[in-house]
Amino acid sequence: MNQLVYKDFEAFRKLEGEQLPVGDWIMITQDMINTFADVTQDFQWVHVDVERARKESPFKKTIAHGFLSISLLSKMLMDLITVESAVMGFNYGLNKVRFPHPVMVDSRLRLHSSVTKIEEYADNGLKITWDCTLEIEGIEKPACVAEFVSLMFEG
């Protein structure tokens, strides 16, 4: 996938209302799930107990935390777009978040997204609303559907 590169905010603003290229696949490993559990202190057996999941889960595998999936949105968007004049960006919030299908260990995810809205923010910033859907390879329902809102600032 080729990254979209914009020189400055003026060029980037033209992306409002546009669909972005589909992102690259990311494999969700048990190590990622375990690390996320360590950081968030969420050790539910459906995430971290491989043997119990094999015996008791309807999926017969561990599943990723829903918030692990959504936490990948920043990285996935940064993989798709660069604004050269931007000096920093922040997560602003999430709207309408849903997790329609669990992400089983060793599944691959990729991002389908568009820029819904670009608004002025402060003196040198933009507030961007992204429409995001995380596709699970081989599964009809997505892992996550959300409006993701971020801030970006020029130097």
Side-chain angles (χ1 to χ4, degrees):
M1 202 279 327
N2 292 327
Q3 187 179 55
L4 302 174
V5 179
Y6 297 92
K7 179 182 174 195
D8 54 26
F9 281 5
E10 183 179 341
F12 174 71
R13 279 187 189 95
K14 296 174 184 166
L15 196 57
E16 185 173 18
E18 297 295 321
Q19 191 74 29
L20 301 177
V22 176
D24 291 333
W25 291 108
I26 295 178
M27 176 71 74
I28 305 301
T29 66
Q30 190 62 51
D31 283 344
M32 289 171 74
I33 295 169
N34 292 346
T35 300
F36 193 84
D38 287 341
V39 170
T40 61
Q41 299 293 290
D42 181 351
F43 298 107
Q44 289 187 61
W45 68 267
V46 297
H47 304 305
V48 297
D49 191 331
V50 174
E51 289 306 314
R52 186 172 177 189
R54 190 174 291 131
K55 293 175 187 171
E56 297 179 34
S57 167
F59 307 108
K60 304 303 180 198
K61 293 181 171 186
T62 56
I63 60 172
H65 305 73
F67 288 118
L68 168 57
S69 301
I70 206 161
S71 71
L72 292 170
L73 291 179
S74 293
K75 181 244 187 301
M76 291 174 149
L77 286 167
M78 287 187 339
D79 286 349
L80 290 176
I81 294 176
T82 293
V83 179
E84 293 173 335
S85 64
V87 294
M88 68 181 128
F90 299 100
N91 297 334
Y92 187 82
L94 295 159
N95 301 324
K96 304 176 189 173
V97 178
R98 297 291 181 270
F99 302 105
H101 197 281
V103 177
M104 288 165 271
V105 67
D106 298 326
S107 294
R108 295 193 326 156
L109 300 179
R110 70 178 173 182
L111 178 63
H112 296 260
S113 57
S114 61
V115 178
T116 307
K117 191 175 192 181
I118 299 175
E119 305 169 80
E120 297 295 320
Y121 187 87
D123 292 337
N124 61 337
L126 296 177
K127 182 166 73 170
I128 305 112
T129 303
W130 314 84
D131 183 44
C132 298
T133 300
L134 287 177
E135 174 190 3
I136 309 168
E137 186 176 35
I139 305 289
E140 187 175 329
K141 287 185 178 181
C144 177
V145 178
E147 275 186 0
F148 177 57
V149 184
S150 66
L151 301 177
M152 193 182 307
F153 295 91
E154 280 186 313

